[in-house]
Each structure stands twice: as structure tokens, then as C-alpha cells.
Amino acid sequence: MRSYQDVYSKSLSDPENFWADAAEAIDWVTPFSRVLDNSAAPFARWFGGGTLNTCHNCIDRHVDAGRGDRLALIYDSPVTSTVERYSYLELKAEVERLAGALASLGVARGDTVVIYMPMVPQAVFAMLACARLGAVHSVVFGGFAAPELAARIDDCRPKVVLSASCGIEVGRIVAYKPLLDEALARADHLPGRCVILQRETEPAELVAGRDLDWNDWVAAAQPHDWVPVEATDPLYILYTSGTTGRPKGVVRDNGGHAVALSWSMPNIYGVEPGETYWAASDIGWVVGHSYIVYGPLLNGNATVLYEGKPVGTPDAGAFWRVVAEHDVGTMFTAPTALRAIKREDPRAEQLRAHDVSGLRALFLAGERTDPATLQWAREQLGVPVIDHWWQTETGWAITASCLGLEPHDVRDGAGGRPVPGFDVRVLDEAGAEIGSDSAGALAVRLPLPPGTFRGLWGAEAQCRQTYYADYPGYYRTADAGYVDSDGFVFVMSRTDDVINTAGHRLSTGQMEEVLSALPDVAECAVCGVADDLKGELPLGFIVLNSGCERSYADVAAAAVAAVRAEIGPVAAFKRVVVVERLPKTRSGKVLRGVMRKIANGEAWTVPATIDDPDILDEISSVLKSPAGTR
Ligand code: COA
Ligand code: AMP
């Protein structure tokens, strides 16, 4: 096995040759003329001059090489009691026909398509069909409310929206179609067509002249071949939370993405073609894009699309049943899912009921894995459990213990060592590098490796300002932490107003915008507080307008309902307290840090800059009162 240190050093000292070698794993139509073009720094362009097609690399080339009978996609849906298996040949047939259907609506290279769908195979076909045509997909997670969908539609202006009648949550059907209708009523941009997959669980009414029935539409289509696109052309836009209400559209290219994800499969995950790989995430998140869809298919693996939860579908043995039934070799999930399982089945009795002997490793990401959860999983599973750190922007892991390289030891509480290609540094406030074991801002020296974002959709100035302005020459991750003397990176917190709830990235600033707009609210603040299951949960503090006559409970309920309606259930915003005033500095800055400490029961001191120290005691007593009010 190759040495981590050698591979890592080469990736930084000679990135052009390193990534040119990795690019051999990809089928190019026209070879690239330049591996790295850094002339528009901070934006690096990888594999310029090269043309390829990502869908061809995910599907057709495996079929062309005689591997069409191999398993490509396993759809396992405990919520509908369905298991479906698609070979590469069958996947090709589905995707080429869907590409033809999209083309029949005029979708072509460079057009955008929004996919607002639950975890069904048609959603995966849709992503790949867009890639086949050179169209740019933007998948919107089902847990977002209509205004969030509308904001994304207005930002990326899709020619077509693909959706489904409903999604299925534990004990609840989520009617997607009314959410889509509401989003379109709010949006300024109107797509030419909406295509709706009717699910038996709850079909939807179609709007004549605008909506098409998915099955009829596909049945009438002819298969469409893949088209070559530039390596630097966009493959997808994926929106993620920033510090404001406006989501940021992270743009991924085709060439660098294909090369980086192909490289990652054997080197980070230690996965050989032909094995089954399972990322228990959602296609609405970056993990789902990279490791439910593109990474495993690029590498010729069978990938599992799981429409269910770690618990409740039907029990805490659900993950282990999937691992056993589909012979999963490598699995990837979020720590919160493991905590949910551990809480229901602490002695792992439901694990013993399944033969998971084929599992070789479990990877975790989305938030820092607390050592207790990591150790529990390692003891119960008896395989390496590897926390690795990444972001929507980077598209793949910044740090990990790379199973395909030696050594791949782990250090509990750390996200591993920097992955080849990522030059991770810790910086102080002035941007100077800090030595080992001292905390600071985590940054990556430019250029970023292939597969990372090529910018924000239609927002270059915002992109420069957000990621590249504070520390010239570096990418600002907005995470803070330290690197120990052995090179392990500990990612401890965000440096902005983003919190991580159940592995989902949420903006507290966005929640504050929703609360501020309520008629009774004079001022508000939202902080993330620690939660045993979800890692962090949002907690709202509101100050009422003078003369407000509604009860505190009414206002709190309205606040919870507003965040659910405006952002979505995924925000998990359920707790609000009413306070007399917010603690502020004398210059008027809200002291969220001390509020969070009080809410977490941590030791806190009165900040020297506070204008009114008494308010902190009030907050403390409000939080202790069962009603959460004065
Ligand atoms: N469509 C519609 N609604 C959704 C949804 C979707 N795709 N996904 C989640 N929701 C809803 C849930 O039903 C829940 O609604 P509720 O308030 O009515 O109960 C709400 O959004 C919050 O969901 P979640 O935070 O996921 O909590 P949960 O209580 O339903 O489940 C876990 C808790 C831990 C089981 C779950 O969060 C989980 O499996 N997390 C894994 C996260 C993950 O894979 N992250 C990807 C990064 S790797
Ligand atoms: P997202 O873009 O939704 O994937 O969220 C990215 C953010 O999640 C990061 O900036 C971190 O704050 C957090 N995160 C993801 N993985 C890890 C990890 N392994 N350890 C610590 N934080 C993580």
C-alpha cells in the first residue's frame, strides 16, 4: 500500500503531475491541454481544454467495457417496502430515456433543471440524465419549505422542475406537490414545465398546461446519447446555508469533480470496483451527490439509495439490515444517525441480529463525531470507524484517515489528517500561521484541488468576499480548530452563524430574519445549543414589542410555526424563550456566545463590554423555568 506521507507530499509539491495521473481513471473525449490554470486565482481551473461527459463516465463506459450486468443501483425503501436493483445496463436504459425526455422539453447543455424529489431511483436517473445532456441540475432537499424552494428557483432559473407527488417520513407523508405549487406562486421565475412522479402513497393533482405526468412523459421519449462538455463546465449547483437568508449556490465542474471523486474511492474509502458502497445520506446534500451518486458510479460500484431512517423504519436495526442484505463493504453516515441508533439499542442487540461481516469500514461526516459515539460504533462493529471533515464547497473530504494509504490510523475526536490535495493550515486573526496544538481558523492554502467548488452561482463578488478576502492566498473554511503534533486535524466549531443540526447545515442568521419579521417581535437572536441526539439545536430568544397583548406561549408557537413555514421542518426550530432584553455590548453587538454558554449550562463570565450585566441572570432563570418565559 502506498505511503500517505509520500502521496500527500507529491500532491502538494507537484499537483499538476499528481492530478494528471489521477485523471487517467477518467474517459476524456478531448484530452485536457492544461492540468491547472491558476491565472484567475483564487479560482483554480482544472483540466482546461479537456472535454468529457460525467454520465458517460458513470455508466456507459462500464457497459462498453462489458460490465453492464454488474449491479449499479440498489433502491431500498423500508417506507414503501420496496427493494429494486438496477444493473449498469438497466441504469443506462433508464437514464438515456430520461435524457431524451428532458431533451424533448428543450433542455440542452448549460440549461438548469431543479430536482425536488424524495429518495427514489428516478431522482438519481434525473441527476445523471442532466449530466448526460450537459444540463446543470440543482437538487433541493425535501425538508425545505416552499419559500426556500422558491429562492432556489429564482436564483438558478430552471427550464424544467422535476418533482414527485410526495415524500414519506416516519409516520408522516410530505406532500411535495403543494409545496412546489406554493413555491411557484411565490417565485418570479417560472419554469417551462414541471414533471411530477406520481407515487401510489399519495398522488397529486396536476396543473393542466404546466405539469406533466412523469411516466407518460418518459414513455413517449427516445433514448438520448451523452454529449461532450468542457471539463470546466458546471455539472451542478447545490445550495447551502450562509450567514444570510439568501442561500449560496455552490457550483461544481465536470472534469475536476470526476477526477477527484474517482481518486477518492480507492484512496480514501479503500473501495474496489464491483463492491457495494452505501452513503446513508440524502441526495439533497453534498454527501448524497458525491457518494450516493457520482463517486460510487464513477468507480464501478453498486450504490445504495436508502429511503428510510436509522430508527423508526422500523427499528434501530434498519442500517444493519441494509448492510447485511446488500453486502455493503463500506458505509458512510452522519454521527447523529449513530447516536439515534445507540440511544434505542445501546447494547447493539439489533446489530447482532444481522450478518454484517462484509462491512470493512464506517465513515462519518456532517459534524464532529464525539469520541463516545465513535468508540461505541468501533466496539460494536469491530471495524475502523473514520470521522472525516468536509463541506458542500469542497465536495469531498478535506481531512480523513485514507483507507487506501498507509498508515490510516485514527485519533478519536479528530477528522483525520489532510487529504492529498488539501494544504490545511491554522491561522490567527491576523492571518499568520499558528503552530501545532493551538486553536485558530482552519484554512486551506490555494489552489484548492480538483472537485472543489468553482464559485457561487451568479455571485462571484460574494464568493471572493466570503471565502478569499479574510486570508489572502487561502480558502477560509469558516471552521475553527487545531492540528496536533502528529498532523491530526481537530475541527471544533464554526466561526460564523452556521450551526449543524442532525448533520444538516443551518443558518441562525436566516432564522433570525424570519423571527424579526413577526409582528410581535422587537428583537431576536438564535443560538445553537448542544443536543445529545442532533449535535446542536437552534434556540430562539425574542424580545416582544411593548404593548404586545398576546401570551408568551402564543408568540413562541407563532415563532416556531413561522420558521417551519419559511425555512422548513429541517430547521428543527422548536424552542423559543421570551426575554426582557438581549445582552449586548456597549456598541450594540448581541452577545450570542455568552447566551449559548448559559443555555448549555457551561461556565460563563460577564463580558467586560456588556452594557447591562443583569440581563444575563434573567436569561439564566428564564432558561431554567419550565415554560421558558419570565
Ligand atoms: N423531506 C421532508 N421532511 C424531512 C426530510 C425530507 N427529506 N428529512 C427530514 N425531514 C423532516 C423530518 O420529518 C422532521 O420533521 P418533524 O419536525 O415533523 O419531525 C424534521 O425534518 C427534522 O428532521 P431530522 O433533523 O432529520 O430529524 P428526525 O427527528 O426526523 O430524525 C435522525 C433524526 C437522527 C434520525 C435523522 O436526523 C437522521 O437520520 N440524520 C442523518 C442525517 C444525514 O444523513 N445527514 C447527511 C450528512 S452525511
Ligand atoms: P455541509 O456543507 O452541510 O456539509 O456542512 C459542512 C460543515 O459541517 C463544516 O464546515 C463543519 O462545520 C461541519 N462538519 C462536517 N464534517 C465534519 C467533521 N467530520 N468534523 C467536524 N465538523 C464537520
Side-chain angles (χ1 to χ4, degrees):
M1 199 179 275
R2 293 188 302 162
S3 131
Y4 162 77
Q5 202 50 58
D6 291 352
V7 174
Y8 184 67
S9 301
K10 178 159 185 208
S11 77
L12 298 191
S13 64
D14 187 9
E16 301 217 24
N17 278 316
F18 182 90
W19 290 112
D21 287 350
E24 285 176 17
I26 292 302
D27 268 10
W28 298 89
V29 179
T30 321
F32 43 88
S33 48
R34 199 157 174 199
V35 182
L36 168 63
D37 174 3
N38 217 3
S39 58
F43 303 104
R45 294 285 178 260
W46 289 94
F47 308 113
T51 62
L52 77 162
N53 182 281
T54 297
C55 177
H56 161 77
N57 273 282
C58 285
I59 304 176
D60 302 61
R61 69 174 167 143
H62 302 308
V63 175
D64 297 346
R67 297 189 292 269
D69 289 343
R70 272 199 192 164
L71 205 50
L73 177 68
I74 302 164
Y75 167 55
D76 188 308
S77 168
V79 295
T80 57
S81 306
T82 311
V83 175
E84 287 172 8
R85 293 180 174 82
Y86 298 84
S87 67
Y88 273 91
L89 198 58
E90 288 164 336
L91 182 61
K92 178 170 181 250
E94 297 285 352
V95 172
E96 62 187 1
R97 189 174 284 273
L98 189 51
L102 283 167
S104 74
L105 298 181
V107 174
R109 184 175 162 196
D111 289 332
T112 52
V113 174
V114 160
I115 302 174
Y116 182 57
M117 295 182 75
M119 292 279 285
V120 291
Q122 287 81 359
V124 175
F125 305 158
M127 293 166 76
L128 292 160
C130 288
R132 194 168 190 84
L133 297 174
V136 182
H137 61 69
S138 186
V139 181
V140 180
F141 178 63
F144 283 119
E148 287 290 302
L149 177 57
R152 287 153 173 78
I153 287 173
D154 276 342
D155 196 66
C156 75
R157 308 180 70 77
K159 200 167 220 174
V160 172
V161 174
L162 303 178
S163 190
S165 57
C166 70
I168 305 159
E169 286 291 290
V170 181
R172 181 168 75 96
I173 292 169
V174 183
Y176 276 50
K177 183 58 178 18
L179 293 171
L180 173 61
D181 291 341
E182 190 193 330
L184 291 177
R186 284 172 168 258
D188 294 327
H189 171 80
L190 284 188
R193 289 285 186 178
C194 298
V195 188
I196 310 297
L197 178 75
Q198 295 282 23
R199 303 191 78 187
E200 274 176 24
T201 315
E202 190 172 289
E205 270 196 28
L206 303 187
V207 175
R210 188 197 72 189
D211 300 345
L212 296 174
D213 174 90
W214 186 292
N215 289 336
D216 296 346
W217 171 63
V218 173
Q222 294 300 314
H224 199 294
D225 209 350
W226 54 273
V227 301
V229 300
E230 297 287 331
T232 49
D233 276 355
L235 170 68
Y236 69 76
I237 307 164
L238 180 57
Y239 288 88
T240 188
S241 297
T243 47
T244 66
R246 192 168 170 258
K248 299 187 289 190
V250 166
V251 182
R252 196 87 55 215
D253 69 6
N254 275 272
H257 175 255
V259 171
L261 292 192
S262 280
W263 185 89
S264 74
M265 291 303 290
N267 288 290
I268 296 182
Y269 299 101
V271 178
E272 296 297 324
E275 296 178 32
T276 302
Y277 181 94
W278 178 26
S281 177
D282 190 289
I283 48 153
W285 306 116
V286 67
V287 172
H289 280 61
S290 296
Y291 292 111
I292 296 175
V293 183
Y294 291 110
L297 295 177
L298 284 164
N299 198 45
N301 293 111
T303 185
V304 181
L305 180 75
Y306 175 69
E307 188 183 26
K309 298 272 172 174
V311 294
T313 58
D315 55 34
F319 273 14
W320 319 129
R321 190 233 354 123
V322 173
V323 169
E325 199 167 317
H326 306 302
D327 198 18
V328 172
T330 304
M331 185 180 168
F332 180 162
T333 192
T336 186
L338 281 188
R339 288 196 296 267
I341 295 171
K342 180 175 166 226
R343 192 161 79 167
E344 286 204 7
D345 183 23
R347 289 206 294 273
E349 279 153 8
Q350 311 219 36
L351 167 62
R352 316 270 172 259
H354 300 280
D355 175 6
V356 296
S357 56
L359 188 69
R360 293 197 322 275
L362 173 64
F363 283 81
L364 299 171
E367 63 183 297
R368 175 173 179 261
T369 310
D370 54 290
T373 302
L374 188 106
Q375 285 151 11
W376 178 84
R378 191 167 51 212
E379 268 163 36
Q380 303 303 337
L381 290 166
V383 299
V385 178
I386 298 174
D387 186 12
H388 61 331
W389 169 48
W390 47 303
Q391 308 183 315
T392 306
E393 290 84 346
T394 65
W396 60 298
I398 310 167
T399 63
S401 295
C402 295
L403 266 195
L405 305 175
E406 199 68 82
H408 44 253
D409 47 334
V410 301
R411 187 144 302 174
D412 298 359
R417 296 189 177 93
V419 163
F422 288 93
D423 190 354
V424 178
R425 305 292 170 112
V426 186
L427 307 179
D428 68 15
E429 278 180 9
E433 285 184 28
I434 312 183
S436 56
D437 291 316
S438 301
L442 292 168
V444 183
R445 261 177 76 135
L446 299 179
L448 288 175
T452 52
F453 72 146
R454 44 158 279 183
L456 297 180
W457 187 254
E460 191 187 312
Q462 185 197 357
C463 184
R464 283 180 190 275
Q465 184 59 36
T466 308
Y467 300 102
Y468 302 111
D470 286 0
Y471 308 117
Y474 297 87
Y475 162 73
R476 168 183 170 269
T477 67
D479 281 311
Y482 62 95
V483 180
D484 76 8
S485 51
D486 294 324
F488 285 94
V489 180
F490 289 74
V491 184
M492 305 307 289
S493 60
R494 290 281 301 193
T495 58
D496 56 10
D497 294 335
V498 165
I499 61 168
N500 237 290
T501 297
H504 310 318
R505 175 166 157 184
L506 301 167
S507 160
T508 53
Q510 188 184 8
M511 295 182 216
E512 288 175 3
E513 282 181 28
V514 174
L515 298 182
S516 310
L518 293 172
D520 297 311
V521 173
E523 273 195 300
C524 67
V526 176
C527 307
V529 295
D531 179 74
D532 285 349
L533 175 65
K534 297 195 179 184
E536 262 180 318
L537 278 178
L539 166 63
F541 294 86
I542 51 182
V543 179
L544 299 182
N545 284 320
S546 58
C548 167
E549 288 179 358
R550 295 171 74 191
S551 73
Y552 292 164
D554 269 4
V555 178
V560 168
V563 174
R564 193 174 172 97
E566 292 292 318
I567 301 177
V570 68
F573 183 82
K574 302 209 165 150
R575 194 167 168 224
V576 183
V577 293
V578 178
V579 291
E580 187 84 21
R581 298 177 303 286
L582 295 176
K584 291 185 187 166
T585 61
R586 281 187 281 276
S587 59
K589 197 166 174 287
V590 177
L591 290 159
R592 290 181 180 75
V594 70
M595 292 160 81
R596 195 178 56 234
K597 280 191 177 156
I598 296 172
N600 279 335
E602 292 169 23
W604 51 277
T605 49
V606 178
T609 52
I610 196 165
D611 64 346
D612 172 9
D614 294 345
I615 189 65
L616 296 178
D617 290 326
E618 193 218 340
I619 286 181
S620 181
S621 71
V622 166
L623 287 168
K624 281 184 198 136
S625 93
T629 55
R630 280 171 291 137

